[in-house]
């Protein structure tokens, strides 16, 4: 099995599950035990400023106050998952996903962001997406998803509403031209 870690998972137009329709997920872990990622194109009606306030972290002067918080997926919706540039070694509860992309789930990162420190490029997500062993592979065989290698530029430099099309474009695909009917060969 080829690992899909550091890959985008693009929802096909016919995928109607409310949690994933129109979504772009970034896969942070994929092995024989299952798959974990975060949806990266669904900003919530919540900013970091409000999150800092809810968690009593201060942050009134943080340059990150206006950054959106994202819906990361239907699993662990009460937990924060911070996808960021850099290495995991600087933070508690972190994993290195790609050479320059890590995922952190610890409060030290949120506190650093509230204090105006931390990485320059990041996405704070509430919740994550998870698939049991073999589940994602089955959904891929059902043509529910497209996959393409992940890109820091799409994650951090592309506006959220353009990320799905940008990822599809890196495959030479325009999702707007695809049929809503799933095909099988």
């Amino acid at each position: 099995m080829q690992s899909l870690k550091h890959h985008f998972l693009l929802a096909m137009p016919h995928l109607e599950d409310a949690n994933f329709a129109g979504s772009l997920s970034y896969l942070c872990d994929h092995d024989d035990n299952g798959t974990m990622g975060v949806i990266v194109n669904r900003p919530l009606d919540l900013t970091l400023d409000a999150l800092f306030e809810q968690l009593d972290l201060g942050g009134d002067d943080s340059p990150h106050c206006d950054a959106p918080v994202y819906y990361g997926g239907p699993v662990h919706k009460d937990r924060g998952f911070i996808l960021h540039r850099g290495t995991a070694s600087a933070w508690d509860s972190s994993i290195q996903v790609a050479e320059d992309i890590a995922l952190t789930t610890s409060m030290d990162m949120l506190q650093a962001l509230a204090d105006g420190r931390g990485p320059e490029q990041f996405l704070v997500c509430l919740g994550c997406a998870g698939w049991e062993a073999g589940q994602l592979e089955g959904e891929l065989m059902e043509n529910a998803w497209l996959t393409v290698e992940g890109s820091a530029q799409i994650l951090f430099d592309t506006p959220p509403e353009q990320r799905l099309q940008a990822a599809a474009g890196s495959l030479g695909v325009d999702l707007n031209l695809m049929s809503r009917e799933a095909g099988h060969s």
Side-chain angles (χ1 to χ4, degrees):
M1 170 184 75
Q2 178 186 350
S3 176
L4 293 174
K5 180 178 181 176
H6 181 59
H7 277 71
F8 288 124
L9 196 61
L10 295 76
M12 293 295 287
H14 64 274
L15 183 62
E16 294 180 358
D17 180 313
N19 291 307
F20 295 104
S23 70
L24 177 68
S25 299
Y26 178 73
L27 301 181
C28 301
D29 197 15
H30 178 241
D31 58 25
D32 292 335
N33 298 315
T35 308
M36 180 271 180
V38 290
I39 297 172
V40 296
N41 67 330
R42 289 199 180 155
L44 297 167
D45 190 22
L46 178 70
T47 62
L48 271 186
D49 185 37
L51 186 62
F52 294 155
E53 187 176 315
Q54 286 178 8
L55 298 173
D56 199 26
L57 294 175
D60 296 335
D61 298 325
S62 173
H64 308 298
C65 283
D66 293 333
V69 175
Y70 291 81
Y71 170 75
V75 181
H76 302 299
K77 291 192 283 190
D78 59 338
R79 290 188 59 196
F81 296 82
I82 307 164
L83 196 58
H84 58 92
R85 295 293 290 260
T87 62
S89 61
W91 309 100
D92 296 335
S93 302
S94 291
I95 60 169
Q96 198 69 42
V97 181
E99 184 178 327
D100 65 338
I101 300 172
L103 181 75
T104 299
T105 59
S106 58
M107 286 295 290
D108 66 327
M109 168 75 76
L110 279 176
Q111 186 64 64
L113 292 171
D115 294 342
R117 299 178 292 114
E120 288 296 315
Q121 294 185 306
F122 62 89
L123 301 175
V124 175
C125 302
L126 291 181
C128 68
W131 293 265
E132 294 178 2
Q135 181 181 2
L136 179 59
E137 290 78 5
E139 292 178 14
L140 287 166
M141 292 193 60
E142 297 275 324
N143 294 319
W145 307 98
L146 280 177
T147 62
V148 63
E149 187 172 349
S151 158
Q153 180 181 2
I154 291 172
L155 282 172
F156 302 114
D157 298 332
T158 304
E161 67 277 3
Q162 296 174 16
R163 290 180 187 148
L164 178 61
Q165 285 297 342
S170 67
L171 283 172
V173 172
D174 182 344
L175 292 175
N176 295 317
L177 300 177
M178 295 186 80
S179 170
R180 295 187 60 79
E181 301 296 320
H184 300 278
S185 56

